[in-house]
Amino acid sequence: MLVPVLLVLSFCLRGRAGLAPHFLQQPEDQVVLLGDEARLPCALGAYRGLVQWTKDGLALGGERDLPGWSRYWISGNAASGQHDLHIRPVELEDQASYECQATQAGLRSRPAQLHVLVPPEPPQVLGGPSVSLVAGVPANLTCRSRGDAHPTPELLWFRDGVRLDGAIFRQTPLKEGTIGSVESILSLTPSSHDDGATLVCRARSQALPAGKDTAVTLSLQYPPVVTLSAEPQTVQEGEKVTFLCQATAQPPVTGYRWAKGGSPVLGARGPVLEVVADASFLTAPVSCEVSNAVGSANRSTALDVQFGPILQAKPKPLSVDVGEDASFSCVWRGNPLPRVTWTRRGDAQVLASGPTLRLPAVGPEDAGDYVCRAEPGLSGRGGGSAEARLTVNAPPVVTALHSTPAFLRGPARLQCLVFASPAPEAVVWSWDEGFLTAGSQGRFLVETFPAPEGLGGQGPGLISVLHISGTQESDFHRGFNCSARNRLGEGGTQVSLGRRDLLPTVRIVAGVAAMAMTLLMIITGVALCCWRHGRASFSKQKNLVRIPGSSDGSSSRGPEEEAGSSKDQGPIVHTDHSDLVLDEEGALETKDPTNGYYKVRGVSVSLSLGEAPGGGLFLPPSSPLGPPGTPTFYDFNPHLGMVPPCRLYRARAGYLTTPHPRAFTSYIKPTSFGPPDLAPSTPPFPYAAFPTPSHPRLQTHV
């Protein structure tokens, strides 16, 4: 008890005699790695007393070896005032606030903070060292570091030495409030190019600035990556082309499928497809689809096929009013692009080039057919032409057609040709005292027929015919008007009727022929009578040919009556008797012309030239071989060169007494109206111009 007091007194007396105790060196904050040695310096001047260290206020003791703290000790020359605190190896629990105290002098150093750094361990990548991913499917990679590192490390991602951004950092605290672990999540959508790539997760902190790395390799599963090629790429139509479909895939390829223009190519299964190119390959590409367990991929390519022009859209017919514009268009497809020209049918002049033809302010002369033409391609294939008709709507165009001259009191026909677009409302025939559009009126009849094809571009054609029955003198001096009207106007023309007068010529010819026949009959009759004189005459006249109109009792008339009746019948011409034979008694017998069917024994035939009901001389019909307008003649020679019998028999009361098996007669059969004729040389009516004569028909009495 006495000793400490003396020491204190001695210290006080010394202090009064010299310098006061003070710190020559105080400890400072330090950062030290876990396991290293920490040294906190402390030096005192003018002090020879007790020096001790405190840890977070807890005294470690005054001895130099600090018993009870195996890793702690004090070093330095105490006489010179050096009192350094050493800690080795430093542990995490050594992180605290330390002070150096001169107890007897009442001195305390400033507190020094000792920071213990714990370097992080190498991080762990979940699923590593090889992570299997699917290409095109988003995925997350997780890198984790344990929580005993101090300070908390940061986790970084690298690829090929380049830092990857976008990772999410996350900490997991423990219950005591310390950090349990840290994680970094990297989100990515891998592609087939990422297969085999290496990613690095690095844990870095102040304790380990260089950090520690963990690498992971990406093992990628991906659908096929397809490359499609064609050889050759440019080809002429009809040539052969080979398509090659190449693919890389993980897992391997399981199948191929080919399509053209979206439609499957049947029978194609492998990576090679061979086809013959045509024009469709230019717009319908060929595609190859490759599949594996993960998915499928598709690639397509189109060929550069060169082919000749192909018509895709024809020009359409147009109908426009006069003065308006007209436009035609036609579409040709080809490779290379074909050259299209426009012409008018029948004219080689090129009106335009390209798919469109424009005609401004058209007139009636522009109506017709227009042709768009494309020349064949380099291969000589394709090409051709298409045409469309332009109809110009205008007032009707009326033209008079050739009309054959007519006989007085005979039938006549007048014709006019009407072209109009739109179609005429009516075609009207008019003359002095009236008009007619259709049907009949008195002596006049109107008929309408379609015009023949071939007169294109002028609208629908009509032929209007005016029939006149029983022409009169005034018909040859008047004018007949043919007119038509539509919504755009009216058109017309005048048609005249020509006269044909051949009746005097017919009468002269008929008179000469009658005189010649009479003279010839007289000469022939006299000669035959002299030659056959004395022979047996005809004794039987049972079977006779009766002329209609005579009575059965006429046979009882006398010779004078018979002569009188024969005058009414005109000249009598006897026919050939070559079929007469002599019987056993020398009598002249006739053959039966019916071979016994009617048992006719004798027939006499005479040819009568009478007058027509109108007073004119009746003649047989004209020969069909003669040209129209030729005067009518009849050849009587076959009937005039016959041998008469011995006597000149005269007709009895309406009977023809000339024995012959056949009788001669002629008929003219009227026909109905026929279709119109456009040829100038053809008569407009097929029926005869003369009135039908009244000629007696022969009857056979059995």
Side-chain angles (χ1 to χ4, degrees):
M1 189 71 186
L2 181 61
V3 175
V5 174
L6 292 176
L7 291 174
V8 172
L9 290 175
S10 128
F11 180 77
C12 292
L13 292 174
R14 180 182 292 184
R16 290 177 182 175
L19 295 174
H22 59 279
F23 283 101
L24 298 175
Q25 185 180 9
Q26 297 187 47
E28 295 180 355
D29 294 343
Q30 288 190 23
V31 176
V32 63
L33 291 177
L34 181 67
D36 290 349
E37 180 181 345
R39 175 180 171 271
L40 299 175
C42 180
L44 294 169
Y47 181 72
R48 297 290 184 268
L50 178 65
V51 176
Q52 68 172 1
W53 286 85
T54 62
K55 175 184 177 182
D56 292 335
L58 177 63
L60 299 179
E63 291 81 1
R64 304 293 286 183
D65 56 356
L66 296 178
W69 303 87
S70 59
R71 296 178 294 106
Y72 291 62
W73 75 90
I74 299 174
S75 66
N77 189 356
S80 60
Q82 193 71 32
H83 306 278
D84 298 338
L85 176 62
H86 294 265
I87 304 172
R88 189 181 61 187
V90 175
E91 295 182 359
L92 188 59
E93 61 185 17
D94 297 331
Q95 181 172 282
S97 178
Y98 293 88
E99 291 182 359
C100 179
Q101 297 178 356
T103 308
Q104 296 173 347
L107 296 176
R108 299 175 62 183
S109 67
R110 61 175 174 268
Q113 189 69 33
L114 178 62
H115 298 280
V116 179
L117 301 180
V118 180
E121 295 294 331
Q124 178 187 8
V125 178
L126 301 184
S130 179
V131 178
S132 179
L133 303 177
V134 177
V137 178
N140 294 328
L141 295 180
T142 302
C143 180
R144 180 176 297 170
S145 177
R146 296 192 303 269
D148 53 358
H150 186 76
T152 301
E154 61 175 343
L155 301 178
L156 306 176
W157 289 94
F158 295 87
R159 178 175 180 176
D160 298 332
V162 180
R163 181 175 175 177
L164 302 178
D165 297 327
I168 300 175
F169 186 78
R170 185 170 61 185
Q171 296 180 348
T172 303
L174 298 176
K175 293 181 180 181
E176 294 80 4
T178 59
I179 300 301
S181 64
V182 292
E183 292 179 347
S184 178
I185 301 174
L186 177 65
S187 298
L188 73 162
T189 301
S191 66
S192 58
H193 302 290
D194 298 326
D195 186 35
T198 299
L199 301 182
V200 174
C201 179
R202 178 175 297 170
R204 186 179 67 178
S205 69
Q206 184 181 0
L208 189 61
K212 291 186 176 181
D213 298 340
T214 298
V216 62
T217 301
L218 300 183
S219 177
L220 217 61
Q221 292 185 346
Y222 53 91
V225 178
V226 182
T227 302
L228 181 60
S229 61
E231 183 63 33
Q233 190 71 34
T234 301
V235 61
Q236 292 288 337
E237 184 179 15
E239 293 183 354
K240 183 178 179 181
V241 180
T242 300
F243 292 90
L244 179 61
C245 185
Q246 296 176 314
T248 58
Q250 182 62 35
V253 172
T254 57
Y256 295 84
R257 189 176 70 171
W258 293 88
K260 175 191 172 186
S263 300
V265 179
L266 302 179
R269 293 290 183 268
V272 178
L273 175 65
E274 294 183 351
V275 298
V276 175
D278 56 31
S280 63
F281 284 89
L282 188 64
T283 55
V286 174
S287 62
C288 174
E289 184 180 60
V290 185
S291 305
N292 68 352
V294 176
S296 62
N298 188 299
R299 289 293 180 272
S300 62
T301 183
L303 291 178
D304 183 16
V305 181
Q306 296 183 352
F307 57 94
I310 300 175
L311 181 62
Q312 287 190 311
K314 295 182 179 180
K316 297 181 179 179
L318 293 178
S319 177
V320 298
D321 290 347
V322 63
E324 296 182 351
D325 297 342
S327 178
F328 291 99
S329 64
C330 69
V331 179
W332 291 86
R333 175 172 168 261
N335 186 28
L337 193 65
R339 179 176 180 268
V340 180
T341 58
W342 290 87
T343 59
R344 190 169 180 174
R345 189 171 69 176
D347 189 355
Q349 181 182 1
V350 176
L351 303 177
S353 297
T356 303
L357 171 65
R358 291 182 175 86
L359 301 174
V362 298
E365 67 278 2
D366 296 319
D369 296 322
Y370 290 85
V371 182
C372 72
R373 180 176 288 102
E375 299 300 329
L378 299 177
S379 62
R381 301 183 180 182
S385 63
E387 65 181 45
R389 174 166 295 181
L390 173 62
T391 301
V392 179
N393 298 326
V397 177
V398 183
T399 306
L401 296 179
H402 171 74
S403 298
T404 304
F407 294 102
L408 181 64
R409 292 188 297 276
R413 182 169 66 174
L414 302 178
Q415 302 178 98
C416 68
L417 177 62
V418 180
F419 281 106
S421 178
E425 301 169 0
V427 179
V428 180
W429 285 91
S430 60
W431 54 95
D432 295 340
E433 65 270 16
F435 65 91
L436 187 61
T437 59
S440 61
Q441 176 181 330
R443 298 182 297 114
F444 302 96
L445 170 67
V446 172
E447 291 183 308
T448 303
F449 304 92
E453 294 293 333
L455 301 174
Q458 299 181 358
L462 297 174
I463 296 178
S464 183
V465 182
L466 175 64
H467 297 280
I468 305 175
S469 62
T471 58
Q472 299 177 0
E473 188 68 31
S474 60
D475 295 335
F476 300 101
H477 303 289
R478 74 175 73 189
F480 293 88
N481 291 320
C482 178
S483 60
R485 171 185 291 275
N486 62 10
R487 64 177 178 84
L488 297 176
E490 182 177 0
T493 187
Q494 189 175 56
V495 185
S496 299
L497 178 61
R499 183 167 182 171
R500 184 180 181 184
D501 192 2
L502 294 180
L503 197 56
T505 304
V506 173
R507 289 178 175 176
I508 293 173
V509 173
V512 172
M515 292 175 62
M517 288 179 61
T518 303
L519 181 60
L520 191 59
M521 288 172 58
I522 294 173
I523 296 172
T524 304
V526 172
L528 288 177
C529 287
C530 293
W531 178 62
R532 293 178 179 257
H533 183 68
R535 291 193 176 189
S537 62
F538 293 102
S539 59
K540 298 179 180 181
Q541 298 181 1
K542 295 181 180 181
N543 299 322
L544 300 176
V545 175
R546 178 178 178 81
I547 298 176
S550 64
S551 62
D552 295 338
S554 62
S555 59
S556 60
R557 287 192 280 179
E560 293 79 11
E561 294 177 353
E562 292 178 2
S565 63
S566 64
K567 291 180 182 179
D568 297 336
Q569 300 298 322
I572 299 176
V573 179
H574 293 273
T575 60
D576 187 11
H577 300 291
S578 60
D579 51 357
L580 298 177
V581 296
L582 295 176
D583 56 9
E584 296 177 354
E585 300 176 356
L588 185 64
E589 193 72 26
T590 60
K591 297 179 181 179
D592 186 358
T594 63
N595 294 326
Y597 187 83
Y598 290 107
K599 298 185 181 301
V600 178
R601 294 183 56 82
V603 180
S604 296
V605 179
S606 64
L607 182 62
S608 175
L609 300 177
E611 290 185 348
L617 179 63
F618 168 76
L619 293 178
S622 59
S623 172
L625 300 180
T630 304
T632 305
F633 294 95
Y634 187 81
D635 186 8
F636 293 95
N637 290 332
H639 309 294
L640 298 179
M642 52 192 175
V643 180
C646 179
R647 297 179 183 178
L648 186 61
Y649 290 94
R650 301 180 63 184
R652 284 189 182 181
Y655 289 89
L656 296 180
T657 58
T658 302
H660 196 276
R662 291 179 302 274
F664 297 92
T665 185
S666 298
Y667 301 95
I668 296 179
K669 182 181 180 181
T671 59
S672 61
F673 292 147
D677 302 316
L678 292 181
S681 62
T682 305
F685 293 100
Y687 45 82
F690 288 109
T692 304
S694 174
H695 188 71
R697 301 182 62 181
L698 302 182
Q699 295 182 350
T700 302
H701 291 260
V702 180

